[in-house]
Amino acid sequence: MTVIESVDRDLPAADPPRRRPGMVLRTLLAAAGGAALFFAFPGWDLSFLAVLGPAALSLATRGVRLRAGLWLGLVHGLAFFVPLLSWTGIYVGSFPWLALSVTEALYVALLGGALAVTARLRGWPLWAAALWVGDEALRGRWPLGGFPWGRLGFSQAEGPFTAFAAYGGVALVSFAVALTGTLLAAAGLALARAWRDSSAAERRTRSLRAAALAVVGTLAVPLLGTAAALPLAGGSLTEGGPTRTVAVVQGNVPRAGLDFNAQRRAVLDNHVSETQALAAQVAAGEVAQPDLVIWPENSSDIDPYLNDDAAAAIDRAAQAIGAPILVGAVVSGPGRFISNTAIVWDPETGPGETYVKRHPVPLAEYVPARSFFRFFSDKVDLVRADFRAGTEIGTLDMAGTTVGDVICFEVAYDGLVRDVVDGGATMIVVQTNNATFGFSDESPQQLAMGRLRAVEFGRSVVMASTSGISAVIAPDGSLIRSSDLFTPATFVEDIAQRDGTTVAARVGVWPEVALTVLGLGAFLAVVAGGVRPRRAAR
């Protein structure tokens, strides 16, 4: 805070009116910032570019009115979300993809307007970074439970900002990235003013001092993140608690696309066959006997409670491997609904404890206001039956181990993952099915979320996918094993069952709440007239 106040004391609130860049230049800058943010995400993995997103949008919106800020935020959001979410339209066409992208960009438009309003406040880099967190908090919760894909923090699966997840969750990582970017913008503004004031020695010295302090702040945040990683759990799977031998099975699917499960029995048989092959390896002494086996989401889209053949096939696999299997199944009921269910299948007693997905995906697993959305696209009718949301958290007993299960996109939602850790999970499992997204960036983007969750909660994370990417992740977020897309794969690893708690697990949602209130408070202070913005330098 001292650095920010010192920088801001000498930094002008905005460029003099006669020197302000035009809207075309500002629009290009906002678009460039959105593009830089896209390249920071998995698929390109240039995570260091993430700071340029907040930097560019802060510069673009500085010195403009609310309406212009809304426009610039929209441009930034479109330049980011349209390419980032392109995987959503691979098999359903461009309309759902573009509709989702525009919807997400509208939240960034709100952010752009808020940045424009608060740009003249003292300490504006801090308020701007807090507003990023608040905007992501809103986007991840509303409407229909929100869609938190594309949070700044999710671009930082590894690097100097990653460790912040263990102290304040994804929200603190986003804040650290945004603050670094806004301080970088402040440094740029101070240097630009020093250039303009080259003939006025006193003002030039003041601007150079502000620039130096901003640079110090820009470097201090990632350096703090690097230091914060030192006391955290390392990259060992076996340290930190008693171990369990865990097998991950990726059976693969007959083909990618929306009809990946048109041959539902083939998908189930693939996972049975891979498990039986693993059992043969165990019998030959090639791999260790697993204590528990993880199958992915949709590994049995035939309801094993109603179909004796499916139940018998799973029984054969469990008996062959001699360990309980976590089966991802589509289960009929209650009533007209179906449920996305994880079933603990014991080799002796059969189906036992279950977890029903708590956050079905709107317009993919259920369709609210079906007649309304059908007006825009008949693809909604591909969802023939609505999935019902579960009510119990995903803590399951497997071989004396408390496994914390989340299904597919649930890994993106802070509260759902936090609940299983609070419920006693000693290991986090993500069951997923990415076959509907082909060879796109969706799988690595989701994998990055799993890696960040490992750091956030100090737990090893196991991701099991029908078609990839399946992975085993150490508590420091490092990848121990990972599969290729659309190939069968099996991993067997000894994994320590940890029961410690990180700072992030103890403080829960409060860092996000505090930062959101901080940003919102700055915005309301200006709107309500409680704080009078400084006049622009002349």
Side-chain angles (χ1 to χ4, degrees):
M1 184 67 179
T2 302
V3 170
I4 295 171
E5 288 178 340
S6 299
V7 169
D8 206 61
R9 184 166 51 247
D10 296 322
L11 187 66
D15 293 326
R18 57 189 173 85
R19 295 181 180 177
R20 289 177 183 171
M23 280 303 296
V24 172
L25 182 58
R26 290 178 183 273
T27 300
L28 292 174
L29 180 59
L37 194 52
F38 163 65
F39 287 116
F41 274 75
W44 296 91
D45 295 307
L46 302 175
S47 60
F48 62 91
L49 292 180
V51 299
L52 298 182
L57 189 56
S58 292
L59 291 173
T61 56
R62 191 165 177 81
V64 301
R65 295 183 182 275
L66 171 64
R67 183 180 301 177
L70 294 171
W71 162 252
L72 294 167
L74 178 64
V75 170
H76 181 92
L78 290 173
F80 172 50
F81 282 112
V82 169
L84 184 80
L85 301 179
S86 60
W87 46 267
T88 61
I90 290 178
Y91 297 112
V92 295
S94 60
F95 180 80
W97 158 41
L98 294 176
L100 178 60
S101 299
V102 170
T103 299
E104 297 299 290
L106 288 174
Y107 290 91
V108 188
L110 295 176
L111 173 63
L115 292 178
V117 169
T118 57
R120 293 173 181 263
L121 290 176
R122 291 192 180 276
W124 66 267
L126 178 64
W127 319 130
L131 284 166
W132 275 88
V133 175
D135 191 73
E136 291 183 348
L138 175 63
R139 184 165 61 82
R141 289 172 171 80
W142 184 86
L144 302 173
F147 187 65
W149 218 273
R151 294 166 73 183
L152 288 176
F154 286 146
S155 68
Q156 303 299 310
E158 56 184 339
F161 299 106
T162 308
F164 285 115
Y167 299 91
V170 180
L172 189 58
V173 181
S174 291
F175 176 74
V177 173
L179 182 59
T180 303
T182 56
L183 285 169
L184 181 63
L189 288 169
L191 287 172
R193 184 164 187 261
W195 176 268
R196 292 196 306 268
D197 293 339
S198 57
S199 60
E202 183 179 349
R203 286 193 299 176
R204 184 172 184 271
T205 299
R206 194 164 58 241
S207 295
L208 287 174
R209 183 169 59 247
L213 288 170
V215 169
V216 169
T218 302
L219 297 176
V221 179
L223 287 174
L224 179 61
T226 301
L230 297 178
L232 300 181
S236 172
L237 285 177
T238 57
E239 296 177 358
T243 61
R244 294 289 185 273
T245 304
V246 181
V248 183
V249 175
Q250 176 177 304
N252 204 14
V253 298
R255 56 184 174 270
L258 294 177
D259 61 346
F260 77 94
N261 65 344
Q263 299 179 20
R264 294 179 297 168
R265 186 53 192 261
V267 176
L268 174 58
D269 286 346
N270 285 352
H271 287 84
V272 170
S273 297
E274 282 295 309
T275 305
Q276 290 174 325
L278 174 62
Q281 290 180 293
V282 171
E286 297 174 5
V287 296
Q289 166 65 45
D291 296 309
L292 58 149
V293 180
I294 309 298
W295 282 8
E297 178 190 27
N298 297 122
S299 48
S300 178
D301 274 358
I302 304 172
D303 186 345
Y305 293 118
L306 299 179
N307 188 289
D308 291 339
D309 288 343
I314 299 170
D315 267 331
R316 288 195 301 272
Q319 291 166 8
I321 197 63
I325 300 174
L326 187 62
V327 179
V330 174
V331 174
S332 300
R336 66 178 180 85
F337 296 99
I338 55 179
S339 62
N340 192 339
T341 304
I343 307 170
V344 178
W345 204 284
D346 189 88
E348 296 181 0
T349 59
E353 292 186 3
T354 62
Y355 166 63
V356 177
K357 187 176 183 181
R358 295 168 63 193
H359 195 295
V361 180
L363 304 178
E365 291 179 305
Y366 75 99
V367 181
R370 187 178 289 264
S371 59
F372 171 78
F373 285 104
R374 188 184 292 116
F375 176 79
F376 298 98
S377 174
D378 60 3
K379 296 294 185 181
V380 298
D381 291 327
L382 293 173
V383 184
R384 296 184 178 88
D386 290 333
F387 283 79
R388 182 173 180 178
T391 57
E392 302 295 327
I393 66 173
T395 50
L396 303 167
D397 182 14
M398 296 187 69
T401 298
T402 304
V403 170
D405 188 34
V406 292
I407 297 177
C408 201
F409 283 13
E410 289 187 326
V411 71
Y413 293 85
D414 297 348
L416 298 179
V417 186
R418 187 184 303 117
D419 282 349
V420 300
V421 175
D422 290 345
T426 54
M427 178 180 72
I428 298 172
V429 168
V430 182
Q431 294 178 291
T432 187
N433 168 35
N434 301 325
T436 51
F437 305 116
F439 290 87
S440 70
D441 290 340
E442 187 274 344
S443 292
Q445 288 170 12
Q446 189 178 52
L447 176 62
M449 298 177 193
R451 297 178 65 184
L452 209 64
R453 297 303 183 191
V455 178
E456 181 177 359
F457 296 106
R459 299 285 192 276
S460 294
V461 173
V462 170
M463 301 189 72
S465 172
T466 51
S467 57
I469 300 171
S470 299
V472 178
I473 304 167
D476 68 346
S478 58
L479 280 177
I480 304 300
R481 302 283 296 274
S482 63
S483 69
D484 293 327
L485 290 169
F486 295 99
T487 56
T490 304
F491 308 144
V492 179
E493 293 287 347
D494 290 335
I495 298 178
Q497 303 303 301
R498 296 170 173 267
D499 59 6
T501 55
T502 60
V503 175
R506 290 194 290 270
V507 300
V509 73
W510 289 110
E512 184 180 50
V513 170
L515 291 168
T516 299
V517 169
L518 192 67
L520 183 61
F523 176 78
L524 293 177
V526 177
V527 172
V531 174
R532 188 173 182 177
R534 293 173 304 147
R535 296 176 62 187
R538 296 185 183 279

